[in-house]
Amino acid sequence: MPEESKIRIEETRAMGVLVNNFIAASQEDEDYMTPEAKRLVQAAEELAPRLRERAQGADEVGMVPRETVKEMAEAGLFRVLQPKRWGGYELDPRVFYRVQMALAKGCMSTAWIYGVIGVHNWQLPLFPEQAQQDVWANGNDGTLIASTYMPVGKVEKVDGGYRFSGRWGFSSGVDHCEWIFLGGLLPKKDNPEELEHTTFLLPRSDFRIEKNWDVLGLRATGSHDIVVEDAFVPEHRTHRTNDHSDAGCPGREINTGWIYKIPFTQVFQRAVSSACLGATEGAIEEFRARAAAHIGKHGAKTAEDPNAQLAVAEAMIAVDQLKLVLFRNYARIVHCAKTGDKMPVEERLMQRSQASLVPKLCAERVSELLRACAASGLYRSNPIERIFRDIHQARGHIANNSDAYARASGAMMLGLPNTDPYI
């Protein structure tokens, strides 16, 4: 078998037992793990134990601690996808997802806002240069951007830009950000009769946060509502979200790296599902530690319970399989971005469906882990209880609507047209 096609298996062991099995498709596929990339992933792994200690308190107050965001920023984690010219690392998005999964082993809410906020340092470089200057110039290249892409903004064309108003929900981590991406609809430039999704960029002075995030899980993400009242948004602070052409992404004139040639959905979809993988790994670690020591009220050892044995094995198998698909699929995305090959729409739909399925499958496995903890495991002091809530909450994100995306993929495979505007 040729060396470049051999499958490498990297194993990490805890207590002498295999707990993770990351499989890379080839040596070439692993080239993205540069010394810089490894340092960033290691920094996230080293931060995870502190996140675990803070997770319950963050869940109770409904906000990731500012201390945590500061530590992530100082470690350079938010700069993984940021252009080098703005002080970033401009690394392969697979590094970004590996960082996110490492953080999620300690606190899924922290990993969630990392994924949502961090991915914006990839999108802003697609905007016109002036928008990048507005946010990152004059020593502000560490400025963070929040978002809520739901296309509910009321837009009026005026000289030089747009009057913009509306109310949006689910802006994760917005308390930590000075700018925001908001969704709206504009007429297509080549066909004014049709509307297309547009991302509008606004500073903190132009929006207000309505604190209303009182939900089941991901409570520490602080995903509050956003209100804008008749703000002016100049033309250069808009981006036609699904126009992947060079004309639709004028920032590519200066940010010429291949990572900025990846279509929006193929970057964003994994930013809101990969945290579930890391959180499931965290639940497995918690369950193994608990099962090794726990003896029930009737004298039964959890480690000897067949249900517990099955639950932990199936959870580990699921994580291994889902990671394998993630990295295999992303190797294809990277190949297309580097070579200019256009990925067939059938493949893009399948990949979108597979990404959206991650929270559903992780929820099933963590549900079984929680069940195997028995009655005493249902107390809020059990971290698996919080992870259970967090992953089920993540399933509610529109990008994780696995049934809808599976139907869209299946419909096209049966000869019907593609109905997903993001694909």
Side-chain angles (χ1 to χ4, degrees), residues 56-117:
Q56 185 171 350
D59 183 82
E60 291 171 354
V61 301
M63 182 177 174
V64 170
R66 295 193 183 279
E67 176 186 13
T68 292
V69 175
K70 182 173 182 289
E71 288 174 341
M72 289 194 291
E74 290 175 346
L77 303 187
F78 289 112
R79 296 182 181 272
V80 172
L81 301 177
Q82 190 173 20
K84 292 180 180 179
R85 59 185 287 262
W86 287 114
Y89 298 108
E90 203 169 317
L91 292 171
D92 189 304
R94 287 172 287 188
V95 179
F96 182 71
Y97 304 129
R98 292 185 72 167
V99 167
Q100 186 181 26
M101 288 186 286
L103 295 172
K105 291 175 72 172
C107 173
M108 184 170 163
S109 282
T110 299
W112 183 272
I113 71 165
Y114 171 76
V116 171
I117 295 173

Side-chain angles (χ1 to χ4, degrees), residues 77-326:
L77 303 187
F78 289 112
R79 296 182 181 272
V80 172
L81 301 177
Q82 190 173 20
K84 292 180 180 179
R85 59 185 287 262
W86 287 114
Y89 298 108
E90 203 169 317
L91 292 171
D92 189 304
R94 287 172 287 188
V95 179
F96 182 71
Y97 304 129
R98 292 185 72 167
V99 167
Q100 186 181 26
M101 288 186 286
L103 295 172
K105 291 175 72 172
C107 173
M108 184 170 163
S109 282
T110 299
W112 183 272
I113 71 165
Y114 171 76
V116 171
I117 295 173
V119 80
H120 300 148
N121 286 353
W122 171 87
Q123 188 183 4
L124 183 60
L126 305 181
F127 278 68
E129 172 65 11
Q130 185 57 56
Q132 300 170 56
Q133 295 282 345
D134 291 348
V135 178
W136 285 334
N138 303 315
N140 294 315
D141 52 28
T143 299
L144 302 180
I145 306 169
S147 71
T148 164
Y149 290 100
M150 51 201 317
V152 297
K154 298 178 179 61
V155 186
E156 177 189 355
K157 185 74 176 80
V158 295
D159 187 35
Y162 308 91
R163 305 305 306 186
F164 194 58
S165 301
R167 185 184 185 108
W168 295 256
F170 311 110
S171 185
S172 299
V174 66
D175 284 313
H176 304 286
C177 300
E178 293 303 317
W179 288 74
I180 196 166
F181 286 148
L182 296 173
L185 296 173
L186 287 177
K188 287 186 174 181
K189 293 180 180 180
D190 59 353
N191 184 3
E193 299 301 315
E194 295 185 15
L195 299 175
E196 64 179 342
H197 189 280
T198 303
T199 303
F200 293 77
L201 171 66
L202 287 81
R204 187 66 171 264
S205 58
D206 284 350
F207 66 89
R208 134 175 131 256
I209 303 171
E210 292 282 342
K211 294 185 178 291
N212 63 341
W213 186 245
D214 186 10
V215 293
L216 173 73
L218 294 175
R219 293 179 58 83
T221 62
S223 303
H224 302 296
D225 278 12
I226 301 298
V227 177
V228 174
E229 296 174 343
D230 196 33
F232 173 71
V233 180
E235 180 70 40
H236 71 264
R237 292 187 193 161
T238 64
H239 171 234
R240 306 296 175 119
T241 318
N242 299 317
D243 184 348
H244 308 136
S245 68
D246 288 343
C249 302
R252 289 180 186 161
E253 292 182 13
I254 299 177
N255 303 306
T256 58
W258 63 264
I259 74 168
Y260 305 112
K261 293 178 170 57
I262 302 174
F264 172 84
T265 299
Q266 292 182 333
V267 178
F268 184 81
Q269 64 189 7
R270 288 291 182 176
V272 292
S273 65
S274 297
C276 295
L277 281 167
T280 302
E281 289 184 295
I284 291 168
E285 290 182 358
E286 295 286 354
F287 184 80
R288 292 181 64 212
R290 176 187 176 86
H294 185 259
I295 299 176
K297 295 296 187 292
H298 300 285
K301 296 179 180 179
T302 301
E304 297 176 352
D305 179 1
N307 291 324
Q309 296 163 0
L310 183 62
V312 72
E314 289 186 336
M316 293 173 69
I317 291 168
V319 168
D320 186 55
Q321 292 172 333
L322 292 171
K323 277 190 169 184
L324 176 58
V325 172
L326 188 166

Side-chain angles (χ1 to χ4, degrees), residues 315-382:
M316 293 173 69
I317 291 168
V319 168
D320 186 55
Q321 292 172 333
L322 292 171
K323 277 190 169 184
L324 176 58
V325 172
L326 188 166
F327 290 110
R328 182 205 66 192
N329 285 3
Y330 228 87
R332 279 282 296 140
I333 292 171
V334 169
H335 170 80
C336 290
K338 287 182 175 181
T339 63
D341 290 354
K342 186 174 179 60
M343 185 180 292
V345 65
E346 295 87 353
E347 186 177 359
R348 282 180 279 143
L349 284 167
M350 175 67 80
Q351 287 206 10
R352 183 159 169 81
S353 178
Q354 288 170 316
S356 68
L357 191 61
V358 169
K360 179 179 181 179
L361 297 181
C362 287
E364 291 173 354
R365 300 280 60 86
V366 172
S367 294
E368 288 303 298
L369 290 175
L370 186 61
R371 183 180 72 88
C373 288
S376 62
L378 298 177
Y379 285 91
R380 292 175 68 88
S381 58
N382 179 9

